[in-house]
Structure formats: structure tokens, C-alpha cells
Amino acid sequence: YDGSTPLPMLLGLHAHGNPITQIQSLTNGSRLAEHFVRVFPKSEGSGWDYSKDKARLDAVFEDVLAHHCVDTSRVYVTGHSSGAGMAVQLLCNGDDRFAGAAPVAAWKACGDVDPIPTMYIQGIADAQRGGGNGKDVVDVFAASNSCSTTTTPFSQVTSCTSGFNGKSVTPGCVSYQGCGEPVVWCSHDDEGYNSTDGHYHGWPCFASNAMADFFLNLE
């Protein structure tokens, strides 16, 4: 970053009860850190509340654009859990500032969004989401992007080693076909989050670099 060359921007929204540094820590050392201006706001409370936090995000967004060299045509959003839900709610309410989205373990917040390139990531049996794999969320993005129901393996995302238990992780990514904007769904088996009631709810080991590659390949 030299302050004069516009760079893509990543807005990263933390999970409930996590510090403002959560997404920063998860993306440090990745291609997201190498190629993007990363922005990590803090919610007013422990988690994100759209009605309370939308104005806070708007203020952060405007401050970053006023003081940093950002390519406003390449602004992307991600988040984990509560932060992912907030990202989805922004899109549900027609926020048009983003050129792509990559929520991790969100929930279905509406029936449709404006077409947007999307990589959706959630564990195969997310204990914090009732054992679901996020297909209900993916269905919203696939329909909104005019995709068919046909998918093909998305082999660009490769296996990695879980930081939670040291096991090899299968990303389980597929690409929807016939879309007006690309939609990739990664239904992974990284068990990370906690060892009691949170299996498969974490930020998987492949997520940061996979997001970076997905966003950069849109450009």
C-alpha cells in the first residue's frame, strides 16, 4: 500500500462475543492481507444488530474512503457468524457498495438480494445453526443470481490442515451453473469452533485465501 494506487477493500465483521481483531487475526498472512485494504469495525454490542449498527458501518465506510486509497468498484464484504448475518442483512436491504460477498456461517435473512458474486462458506453440520449446512442461505443467492440448480466441483479451493484438530479438511466447494453472477458454495468439514456444542461453525482453514482468490478473479 503506497497511498496512491487504489486497492480493493475488504470489510470484515466479527462474530458475536469476539474482539474487533477476530477477522484481522484470521486473515493475517493470507492473500487477503497481501492484496486488500482490510477494515474491521466493531459492533455496538457483543454482536451485530442491523438497526443499531448500520449507521456505525456507514460512518466507518465513509471514513475509510476519505482517508485511504480504495478502489470503490472493488469493495467486498465478509464476516463470521453474527458478522456474516450482518453482511447478509446489508445485502437483503439493497446495499450496493459491494462487488462481492463471502459470508461464513450466516443465516437466511430474506428471500432475495440484488445479484452479487457470492462465495458462501458453512460447515456440513453447523451445530450453532441447528446442524444445517447453509443451503437455505445459498438458495437465496443462487436464485437471486439466476443460477440453475446444477453444480460442478470448484476445484480451485484445495484441502488444508485444520488449526482446530490437525485433520485434513475437505472444502466441499461447488460452483453453480448458468448464473448471472458467480455463486460458489463451500460445505466444509473443518470441525473448528469449540469441542462441545460448536462443531463446524468456525472459519475454516481454507477460507481466507479462497475468498481472496474468488474476489481477485472477479476483476
Side-chain angles (χ1 to χ4, degrees):
Y1 179 76
D2 60 14
S4 60
T5 303
L7 292 181
M9 169 181 151
L10 178 75
L11 184 69
L13 307 179
H14 64 82
H16 184 95
N18 278 259
I20 194 172
T21 55
Q22 181 205 9
I23 307 299
Q24 180 182 17
S25 297
L26 289 168
T27 57
N28 280 344
S30 74
R31 289 187 282 278
L32 288 174
E34 182 179 356
H35 295 289
F36 294 75
V37 173
R38 296 176 298 158
V39 181
F40 310 109
K42 175 69 176 69
S43 62
E44 179 179 325
S46 295
W48 293 93
D49 182 312
Y50 183 86
S51 62
K52 295 179 180 179
D53 289 316
K54 172 63 163 56
R56 294 169 63 85
L57 281 182
D58 291 345
V60 168
F61 194 92
E62 293 306 317
D63 183 73
V64 171
L65 296 189
H67 295 98
H68 295 81
C69 194
V70 170
D71 183 345
T72 56
S73 70
R74 296 187 296 163
V75 175
Y76 307 99
V77 62
T78 186
H80 175 228
S81 193
S82 174
M86 181 66 176
V88 172
Q89 288 178 82
L90 290 170
L91 300 177
C92 286
N93 284 280
D95 198 316
D96 61 0
R97 292 175 291 190
F98 304 112
V104 179
W107 61 85
K108 181 179 178 180
C110 63
D112 64 275
V113 298
D114 292 335
I116 183 171
T118 305
M119 171 176 276
Y120 186 74
I121 300 171
Q122 187 167 323
I124 55 174
D126 187 332
Q128 296 293 307
R129 297 286 177 256
N133 61 5
K135 186 177 185 301
D136 57 338
V137 186
V138 179
D139 285 346
V140 172
F141 287 104
S144 298
N145 284 297
S146 302
C147 305
S148 73
T149 57
T150 302
T151 62
T152 59
F154 190 73
S155 58
Q156 290 93 319
V157 181
T158 57
S159 181
C160 56
T161 300
S162 173
F164 177 70
N165 56 17
K167 294 181 180 179
S168 179
V169 169
T170 301
C173 302
V174 296
S175 176
Y176 279 76
Q177 302 301 292
C179 304
E181 298 288 356
V183 175
V184 173
W185 176 25
C186 297
S187 182
H188 65 86
D189 63 358
D190 191 333
E191 295 182 41
Y193 188 63
N194 64 47
S195 58
T196 54
D197 63 348
H199 285 313
Y200 303 111
H201 186 61
W203 183 282
C205 50
F206 63 84
S208 296
N209 282 326
M211 288 178 197
D213 293 342
F214 179 74
F215 292 147
L216 292 171
N217 284 332
L218 297 172
E219 302 168 8

